[in-house]
PDB file of all heavy atoms in Angstrom:
ATOM      1  N   ASP A  39       9.878   6.178   5.216  1.00  0.00           N
ATOM      2  CA  ASP A  39       9.934   5.172   6.278  1.00  0.00           C
ATOM      3  C   ASP A  39       8.600   4.982   6.996  1.00  0.00           C
ATOM      4  O   ASP A  39       8.531   4.993   8.224  1.00  0.00           O
ATOM      5  CB  ASP A  39      11.018   5.523   7.303  1.00  0.00           C
ATOM      6  CG  ASP A  39      12.401   5.594   6.693  1.00  0.00           C
ATOM      7  OD1 ASP A  39      12.659   4.844   5.735  1.00  0.00           O
ATOM      8  OD2 ASP A  39      13.216   6.403   7.165  1.00  0.00           O
ATOM      9  N   ASN A  40       7.524   4.829   6.217  1.00  0.00           N
ATOM     10  CA  ASN A  40       6.180   4.613   6.758  1.00  0.00           C
ATOM     11  C   ASN A  40       5.665   5.793   7.587  1.00  0.00           C
ATOM     12  O   ASN A  40       4.822   5.641   8.462  1.00  0.00           O
ATOM     13  CB  ASN A  40       6.119   3.326   7.579  1.00  0.00           C
ATOM     14  CG  ASN A  40       4.721   2.751   7.624  1.00  0.00           C
ATOM     15  OD1 ASN A  40       4.052   2.637   6.600  1.00  0.00           O
ATOM     16  ND2 ASN A  40       4.249   2.408   8.805  1.00  0.00           N
ATOM     17  N   ASN A  41       6.188   6.978   7.313  1.00  0.00           N
ATOM     18  CA  ASN A  41       5.736   8.202   7.974  1.00  0.00           C
ATOM     19  C   ASN A  41       5.401   9.258   6.935  1.00  0.00           C
ATOM     20  O   ASN A  41       6.058   9.350   5.893  1.00  0.00           O
ATOM     21  CB  ASN A  41       6.824   8.770   8.889  1.00  0.00           C
ATOM     22  CG  ASN A  41       7.140   7.855  10.044  1.00  0.00           C
ATOM     23  OD1 ASN A  41       6.314   7.626  10.916  1.00  0.00           O
ATOM     24  ND2 ASN A  41       8.345   7.317  10.051  1.00  0.00           N
ATOM     25  N   LEU A  42       4.399  10.050   7.233  1.00  0.00           N
ATOM     26  CA  LEU A  42       4.042  11.209   6.424  1.00  0.00           C
ATOM     27  C   LEU A  42       4.518  12.454   7.152  1.00  0.00           C
ATOM     28  O   LEU A  42       4.390  12.541   8.380  1.00  0.00           O
ATOM     29  CB  LEU A  42       2.522  11.265   6.227  1.00  0.00           C
ATOM     30  CG  LEU A  42       1.929  10.088   5.454  1.00  0.00           C
ATOM     31  CD1 LEU A  42       0.440   9.973   5.725  1.00  0.00           C
ATOM     32  CD2 LEU A  42       2.213  10.236   3.970  1.00  0.00           C
ATOM     33  N   PHE A  43       5.025  13.418   6.399  1.00  0.00           N
ATOM     34  CA  PHE A  43       5.509  14.666   6.979  1.00  0.00           C
ATOM     35  C   PHE A  43       4.785  15.819   6.301  1.00  0.00           C
ATOM     36  O   PHE A  43       4.851  15.966   5.081  1.00  0.00           O
ATOM     37  CB  PHE A  43       7.026  14.794   6.809  1.00  0.00           C
ATOM     38  CG  PHE A  43       7.778  13.721   7.530  1.00  0.00           C
ATOM     39  CD1 PHE A  43       8.142  12.554   6.881  1.00  0.00           C
ATOM     40  CD2 PHE A  43       8.110  13.872   8.870  1.00  0.00           C
ATOM     41  CE1 PHE A  43       8.830  11.555   7.552  1.00  0.00           C
ATOM     42  CE2 PHE A  43       8.791  12.879   9.550  1.00  0.00           C
ATOM     43  CZ  PHE A  43       9.151  11.715   8.889  1.00  0.00           C
ATOM     44  N   ILE A  44       4.088  16.624   7.107  1.00  0.00           N
ATOM     45  CA  ILE A  44       3.236  17.697   6.619  1.00  0.00           C
ATOM     46  C   ILE A  44       3.742  19.023   7.156  1.00  0.00           C
ATOM     47  O   ILE A  44       3.957  19.160   8.369  1.00  0.00           O
ATOM     48  CB  ILE A  44       1.770  17.475   7.073  1.00  0.00           C
ATOM     49  CG1 ILE A  44       1.240  16.139   6.545  1.00  0.00           C
ATOM     50  CG2 ILE A  44       0.879  18.611   6.649  1.00  0.00           C
ATOM     51  CD1 ILE A  44       1.368  15.015   7.495  1.00  0.00           C
ATOM     52  N   PRO A  45       3.925  20.013   6.289  1.00  0.00           N
ATOM     53  CA  PRO A  45       4.333  21.328   6.786  1.00  0.00           C
ATOM     54  C   PRO A  45       3.209  21.961   7.598  1.00  0.00           C
ATOM     55  O   PRO A  45       2.037  21.857   7.248  1.00  0.00           O
ATOM     56  CB  PRO A  45       4.614  22.124   5.510  1.00  0.00           C
ATOM     57  CG  PRO A  45       3.825  21.453   4.450  1.00  0.00           C
ATOM     58  CD  PRO A  45       3.726  20.012   4.843  1.00  0.00           C
ATOM     59  N   VAL A  46       3.580  22.602   8.690  1.00  0.00           N
ATOM     60  CA  VAL A  46       2.603  23.234   9.583  1.00  0.00           C
ATOM     61  C   VAL A  46       2.842  24.739   9.572  1.00  0.00           C
ATOM     62  O   VAL A  46       3.932  25.195   9.894  1.00  0.00           O
ATOM     63  CB  VAL A  46       2.738  22.689  11.026  1.00  0.00           C
ATOM     64  CG1 VAL A  46       1.847  23.450  11.989  1.00  0.00           C
ATOM     65  CG2 VAL A  46       2.441  21.199  11.049  1.00  0.00           C
ATOM     66  N   GLY A  47       1.795  25.480   9.198  1.00  0.00           N
ATOM     67  CA  GLY A  47       1.835  26.935   9.274  1.00  0.00           C
ATOM     68  C   GLY A  47       1.026  27.389  10.474  1.00  0.00           C
ATOM     69  O   GLY A  47       1.550  27.911  11.442  1.00  0.00           O
ATOM     70  N   GLY A  48      -0.269  27.135  10.434  1.00  0.00           N
ATOM     71  CA  GLY A  48      -1.170  27.426  11.548  1.00  0.00           C
ATOM     72  C   GLY A  48      -1.351  26.173  12.390  1.00  0.00           C
ATOM     73  O   GLY A  48      -0.466  25.769  13.125  1.00  0.00           O
ATOM     74  N   MET A  49      -2.512  25.560  12.266  1.00  0.00           N
ATOM     75  CA  MET A  49      -2.835  24.290  12.936  1.00  0.00           C
ATOM     76  C   MET A  49      -2.684  24.337  14.452  1.00  0.00           C
ATOM     77  O   MET A  49      -2.347  23.326  15.077  1.00  0.00           O
ATOM     78  CB  MET A  49      -2.010  23.136  12.369  1.00  0.00           C
ATOM     79  CG  MET A  49      -2.244  22.829  10.923  1.00  0.00           C
ATOM     80  SD  MET A  49      -1.458  21.263  10.479  1.00  0.00           S
ATOM     81  CE  MET A  49      -1.400  21.396   8.709  1.00  0.00           C
ATOM     82  N   LYS A  50      -2.962  25.465  15.076  1.00  0.00           N
ATOM     83  CA  LYS A  50      -2.821  25.589  16.545  1.00  0.00           C
ATOM     84  C   LYS A  50      -3.808  24.677  17.279  1.00  0.00           C
ATOM     85  O   LYS A  50      -3.446  24.031  18.263  1.00  0.00           O
ATOM     86  CB  LYS A  50      -3.027  27.036  16.981  1.00  0.00           C
ATOM     87  CG  LYS A  50      -2.007  27.998  16.421  1.00  0.00           C
ATOM     88  CD  LYS A  50      -0.705  27.878  17.132  1.00  0.00           C
ATOM     89  CE  LYS A  50       0.212  29.017  16.714  1.00  0.00           C
ATOM     90  NZ  LYS A  50       1.491  28.958  17.317  1.00  0.00           N
ATOM     91  N   ILE A  51      -5.056  24.634  16.813  1.00  0.00           N
ATOM     92  CA  ILE A  51      -6.059  23.778  17.460  1.00  0.00           C
ATOM     93  C   ILE A  51      -5.664  22.315  17.305  1.00  0.00           C
ATOM     94  O   ILE A  51      -5.718  21.536  18.263  1.00  0.00           O
ATOM     95  CB  ILE A  51      -7.471  24.044  16.899  1.00  0.00           C
ATOM     96  CG1 ILE A  51      -7.909  25.466  17.256  1.00  0.00           C
ATOM     97  CG2 ILE A  51      -8.469  23.007  17.417  1.00  0.00           C
ATOM     98  CD1 ILE A  51      -9.190  25.916  16.573  1.00  0.00           C
ATOM     99  N   MET A  52      -5.242  21.936  16.101  1.00  0.00           N
ATOM    100  CA  MET A  52      -4.802  20.558  15.872  1.00  0.00           C
ATOM    101  C   MET A  52      -3.643  20.211  16.795  1.00  0.00           C
ATOM    102  O   MET A  52      -3.609  19.138  17.397  1.00  0.00           O
ATOM    103  CB  MET A  52      -4.393  20.360  14.409  1.00  0.00           C
ATOM    104  CG  MET A  52      -3.887  18.976  14.076  1.00  0.00           C
ATOM    105  SD  MET A  52      -5.102  17.644  14.270  1.00  0.00           S
ATOM    106  CE  MET A  52      -6.079  17.854  12.796  1.00  0.00           C
TER     107      MET A  52
END
Side-chain angles (χ1 to χ4, degrees):
D39 300 328
N40 206 47
N41 295 294
L42 297 160
F43 297 93
I44 301 95
V46 173
M49 297 191 198
K50 297 284 190 182
I51 295 171
M52 178 64 78

